[in-house]
Amino acid sequence: MPTPASVLGFAPCTDYKLANYEQITDYFTALDKSSDRMQLMSIGKTSEGRDQVLGIVSSPENLKPANLKKYQDIAERLAHSRGLTDAQAKELAQEGKSVAWVDFGIHSTEVAPTQTAPQFAYDLVRGESAEAKSIRDNVITLFNPNVNPDGTTHVSDWYMKYVGTEYQDSDYPELYQKYAGHDDNRDWFMFNLPETKNQGNILWHTWYPQLVYNTHQTAAYPARIFVPPFKDPSNPNIQPEVIRGINAVGDAMTQRLDREGKVGAVSRQQYDQWWNGGLRSVPAFHNQIGILTETAHASATPTFEDPADFPKTFPYQGVSTSEPSAFYPSPYKGGEWHLKDSCSYIESTGWAYLHTAATDREEWLYGVYRMGKQAIQAGGDVSYIIPADQADFATAAKMINVLRWGDVEVQQATAAFTVGDKSYPKGSYIIREAQPFRPYVVDLMNPQVYPDRRNPDGSPERPYDMAGWTLPYQMGVQFDKVDAKFKVATTQVEWAKVPNYRMPSTTPGYAYALDPRVNDSFTAAMQLVKAGDKVTRTKDAVTTDQGSWPAGTFLVAAGQGTKARVTAQARSLGLQVASVATEPENTLALSQPRIGLYHGWGGNSDEGWTRYVLEQFKFPYGQVHDADVRAGALNDKYDVIVLPDASYNSMLNGERAGSLPPEYTGGMTAAGIANLKAFVNNGGTLVTVNDAAQLPIRAFDNFPVTDVTEGVPSSDYYSPGSVVATNANANTRLTWGLPEKLDAYSSTSPAFVVKEGATSVTTPVNYPTSGVLRSGWLLGENLVAGKAAVADVGYGDGQVLLLGTSVQHRAQAHGTYKLLFNALLVGGES
């Protein structure tokens, strides 16, 4: 059996050495070929086209095809709980094997987990201790050597390129996941990324592990590793048995570390159990034990940890970093620290995790059945109905598929039906709470109410990630929640199809019409403009053969070959195409705008998600780097420049000189910002997202808009990722196709006020005067109530469009995409 060093050329976790994904995969391939205790499989392609592999480790007897299929079926039957008596479930639990997932390398700059994987796999497959044999006999280990293969190669290759130079410890200057960067661990209820889909298919469609272990770096300094229990608050939708199980497994991990003399494990710090959306958190809503650890020192460069530099307390609850306490009983005292030390801690916790999976096998298996059964009973008669007659039913179908990736049970009505005094058409979707993963359904379909938690100084205690994420609010999908029995003929939904498309029965007198209320109408319009069709937009409501459609309707003039091209778009996107008999009076001609997307070095996840959304909806764009902004002449290349969410200082200054090779440092500089201002003065359109509004507000002369939130302390204004209400004037070019009541995603977002006497400014989207919060947590509602969330500013001969919320947040906020799309088209309308 090959050692890792024999394939990699060095021992894993050696100082100043990082293996990339290709090297790690080579090792796993060699290990698979040499042993009947592991099966290596490809689970799909990554965003950059690499094969993503997964190892299944167990005894040779368990890995026989018939046995492996049997244990897989047992895990699935117990997870879904239906059609079983308690006695049958206990028999299956006795007969089955624990299924335990362990992964490495989700955040590519956290290098120790990835480098640990080859050695841990070797030790687990080769080991002959009683513990190793027990684990292989009793556990099916889903061994995922890399959650983000592309990033591992980028980061490892970057380090090895510069090791021994002044840039040895510099950060990789791009997003290490093509679109998400560090946000690749923020995609686990949305499933946008190929990598998330690959692994979600294993977790919630194929194997249904009872335990999931997600390895990360780094712990709250100076602790050497964070291990659950998590800190408060806990999400009330998570089953108590899951919380208890997480605590038990975490305690087993820290117990093992102390027994091995590995001090410095801390719990109840940094990481709460509120958020739904990460690889360790989504399992908790599926009745699975989701474990996270965060190990110190994410670097292959050794260091000396000087106790004199340690903070006196940890951030949460003022726990001492030097004196023993309940959740830090063996404080770390400092000294030399190497990558191998971090790897050793990770492997020790992995062994403790798998040991617990083996010794408590029957209880883990029966536990998922018990929780699934309890969830079904707790669901009662509560259902969520997604009507088929809503304007953008195609986005509703996308939401259904988001839920299906998480294995939510969904039905679709095969006939019209009535609940109470309301009728629903055929094709409507029904989601019933009475299902085994009810915690997941309840959490995604309902508003979050985050508790008001403060630090001693009155500032808000920051949640780990988002505070509110209600899926239909973010996606702009209409639904009704009902608590009543009703009869409806349905079919089970495996995957939601695009809606049935509709084309006019005859060639229209003037044009085919695309509904601006439908996100994918923008996709079709971009494709048709690209194909050479004449496309215009109406400035007023227009009469079609399907009734009156709102301002902003796309009209595709009937010409040679137009019907075939429109039909192809309608079929693929599920569009309801109407016809218009005569040319309306007020229209704008549409062309493909030349879009430039600002791309600052250092990696900005919001820029990556913006790229993802533009590509999904077929908007062509080019990247605008700092050097391009500094060079000027921007109008020669672009009609529209988009600034994704970023601070003014980060755009102005960029990466610090000396922190990276010179070509990656420096930012736009004052000269570049002057060029942006000239771009607008000369007729260009500048679009800012969320905090990027700081740039024109602070740097453009006599700018007529201010942000009332600028400089306000968090104790007075704070929105840590929440859904908020806004009111849209649907008759403006930025709001065409939007509803009057528009939910938006707020991340302590700006709120705008127009300066007295200013002209050429409109505010088409505003916060309501009360009831701003829809889901999550908001401090300082009075500050933003009644203020503008979007401002359309005429500046010189051009426009500055301030989109004051995260309109494309993590490719989740489909409900506000049209704000971005309409803004982009301003540069292509005439």
Side-chain angles (χ1 to χ4, degrees), residues 809-827:
H809 169 68
R810 290 179 180 165
Q812 295 173 10
H814 290 241
T816 50
Y817 280 0
K818 283 186 278 288
L819 281 170
L820 175 63
F821 297 165
N822 283 327
L824 296 175
L825 294 185
V826 166

Side-chain angles (χ1 to χ4, degrees), residues 442-465:
V442 173
D443 196 68
L444 291 181
M445 294 298 294
N446 291 275
Q448 280 68 54
V449 182
Y450 193 86
D452 189 340
R453 299 175 64 89
R454 305 295 184 101
N455 296 313
D457 63 359
S459 64
E461 181 189 293
R462 182 181 180 274
Y464 170 68
D465 196 82

Side-chain angles (χ1 to χ4, degrees), residues 793-817:
V793 182
Y795 193 85
D797 292 333
Q799 301 291 135
V800 177
L801 307 179
L802 307 176
L803 307 182
T805 63
S806 296
V807 293
Q808 80 299 33
H809 169 68
R810 290 179 180 165
Q812 295 173 10
H814 290 241
T816 50
Y817 280 0

Side-chain angles (χ1 to χ4, degrees), residues 13 104 112-113 116 120 213 215-217 219 222-227 253-254 256-258 260-266 293-297 328 330-334 336-353:
C13 304
F104 308 86
T116 302
F120 190 5
Y213 180 18
T215 59
H216 284 251
Q217 291 181 287
R224 297 296 87 189
I225 188 170
F226 165 85
V227 181
M253 289 175 162
T254 52
R256 187 181 190 113
L257 288 170
D258 277 330
E260 295 178 354
K262 294 171 181 171
V263 301
V266 71
T293 61
E294 297 270 354
T295 310
H297 191 62
Y328 194 55
S330 50
Y332 172 63
K333 301 301 184 183
E336 285 192 3
W337 194 266
H338 300 262
L339 180 60
K340 67 181 180 181
D341 298 314
S342 301
C343 296
S344 175
Y345 274 56
I346 293 168
E347 185 164 356
S348 290
T349 55
W351 279 104
Y353 164 78

Side-chain angles (χ1 to χ4, degrees), residues 52-118:
Q52 188 162 24
V53 299
L54 177 78
I56 303 178
V57 179
S58 198
S59 69
E61 182 68 18
N62 292 343
L63 291 177
K64 289 180 178 178
N67 288 338
L68 199 62
K69 181 66 167 62
K70 177 180 72 173
Y71 299 133
Q72 184 178 353
D73 289 343
I74 288 172
E76 185 274 330
R77 291 185 67 190
L78 291 172
H80 286 146
S81 306
R82 297 190 189 279
L84 293 174
T85 65
D86 291 353
Q88 289 171 328
K90 287 181 179 178
E91 288 180 6
L92 288 173
Q94 291 169 357
E95 185 180 0
K97 306 295 182 184
S98 291
V99 182
W101 164 286
V102 58
D103 65 63
F104 308 86
I106 189 167
H107 289 155
S108 302
T109 50
E110 299 171 4
V111 299
T114 294
Q115 304 304 307
T116 302

